Every structure is written in structure tokens, then in C-alpha cells.
Amino acid sequence: MKEKFMRFMQGRYGVDQLSKALLVIGLISILLASFFRGSLVGTFFYYVGWFLIIYCYFRMFSKNVSKRYAENQAYLAKSYKIRCFFAKQKDLFRQRKQYHIYKCPGCSQKIRIPRGKGKIEIRCPKCGTKFMKKS
């Protein structure tokens, strides 16, 4: 069965970031439709969710690889700032046990200070402002 599926998928586009996003948004939309069941909003979410899921599978099974690749690149370009924001937040969350992150009062530059050093004077590397903080 696995070999048959591999032969079927040969020459097809497959899964990419846009397909994953479409699938997740479609499933969330159908879940929201269940909360608003019986209303116009629920019907709207239901149809939008199924449209997104069907379009996701259309993209995965498409043989027009160059067009699907271009769509994915456009999606990645438009979602770059959002993805970077969440990546930075994830990184800051991971560092919270070892470091304090302070903002410079002069230029709002973020400065990372190791925890457990007591009260220290911090000098901003960007503008040179000195300020006292507890680490």
C-alpha cells in the first residue's frame, strides 16, 4: 500500500507551509462553525473551512509544481514578519530562566543580562545610556 501511494504521489507537489496553514485554518473554521451552529455565521465558517481543506488537498495532489511553488513563496514572503515575531517570542521565552531582558530607557534597545548577578549598572551598547537594574 505504501508503494502504491508513493507511486501515486510521484510528480505531484506534496505538502508545504501554505498547505499546512490552509489545513489548520480550515479545521479551526469548521470548529468555529460548530459553535455557531444554526446561524448564518456558522454556515459561513462551515463552507469556508471545507473550501480551504479542499483547496489544501488540491494543492497537495497538483502536478503543476512550478505554480504551487510560486504560491508557497508568495505566502512565505507575506507571512515573514509574523513568523519572525513568533520566532523571537519563542526565543525570548526559552531564555527567560537564564537571562533578564531589559529595554534601554534612551533608545528602547533590548539588552540581555544574566540572572543572579545582583544590582548592576547596565550600559546600552547602542546609545551608551547607563541605568541600574537588578538581575
Side-chain angles (χ1 to χ4, degrees):
M1 188 69 169
K2 185 178 179 182
E3 291 176 23
K4 285 184 182 181
F5 183 70
M6 286 175 61
R7 267 189 269 125
F8 173 74
M9 287 302 289
Q10 214 166 22
R12 299 184 191 274
Y13 188 64
V15 181
D16 61 358
Q17 291 86 353
L18 178 57
S19 295
K20 290 177 186 178
L22 288 171
L23 187 62
V24 168
I25 293 169
L27 290 173
I28 289 171
S29 180
I30 290 175
L31 181 69
L32 284 174
S34 69
F35 289 122
F36 298 109
R37 191 178 329 187
S39 68
L40 186 63
V41 175
T43 306
F44 174 75
F45 279 131
Y46 181 78
Y47 286 122
V48 166
W50 276 109
F51 173 76
L52 292 174
I53 291 172
I54 291 169
Y55 184 61
C56 167
Y57 278 98
F58 164 76
R59 291 186 82 255
M60 288 191 311
F61 296 136
S62 174
K63 287 191 175 187
N64 192 350
V65 174
S66 60
K67 191 169 184 178
R68 300 293 91 79
Y69 178 77
E71 289 172 354
N72 188 47
Q73 291 302 313
Y75 163 74
L76 291 175
K78 290 188 189 279
S79 66
Y80 177 75
K81 288 183 181 179
I82 296 168
R83 289 183 294 116
C84 283
F85 172 77
F86 283 111
K88 285 179 187 176
Q89 295 306 314
K90 182 180 176 183
D91 190 42
L92 288 175
F93 186 75
R94 199 176 24 203
Q95 293 180 13
R96 77 185 190 289
K97 288 186 178 178
Q98 292 93 13
Y99 300 100
H100 276 290
I101 310 278
Y102 293 116
K103 278 191 177 181
C104 172
C107 64
S108 298
Q109 172 75 29
K110 287 186 179 179
I111 304 168
R112 188 176 74 169
I113 304 297
R115 287 183 178 265
K117 301 293 182 187
K119 193 169 186 178
I120 57 172
E121 182 181 57
I122 302 167
R123 188 185 68 79
C124 176
K126 187 175 180 183
C127 67
T129 304
K130 293 182 180 180
F131 56 99
M132 299 290 288
K133 287 287 184 178
K134 182 181 175 187
S135 68

